[in-house]
Amino acid sequence: MGQNYLKALFALGFQGFLIMVCVAIYAVLIQGIATADSVHMAIWGCAGYTALLCFTLFKTGSMAKSLFGSH
C-alpha cells in the first residue's frame, strides 16, 4: 500500500512537470501565429493549437501514471 502511494505521489509530481512542458510548447507555437498572413488562418491556427493543448493536458495524468506504474 505504501509503495503504490509513493508511485502515485511521484506520478502526480511528474504530471505537473508535463503540464508545464505542454504549456511552454503551446506558448512557443502561439507566438508563431502572430506572423500569419490572414486573420482567418491565425484564428484557426489558435483554435487548433488550443484543442491540441486541451487534449495533451487531459492525457498527462494517464501518461504519468503509466510511466511510474501506479494504479
Side-chain angles (χ1 to χ4, degrees), residues 9-46:
L9 190 63
F10 287 133
L12 186 63
F14 190 68
Q15 181 183 2
F17 173 74
L18 286 176
I19 288 173
M20 288 191 301
V21 169
C22 289
V23 171
I25 291 172
Y26 175 76
V28 170
L29 290 174
I30 290 296
Q31 284 179 351
I33 291 179
T35 59
D37 293 337
S38 67
V39 175
H40 297 292
M41 291 301 294
I43 290 172
W44 282 110
C46 185

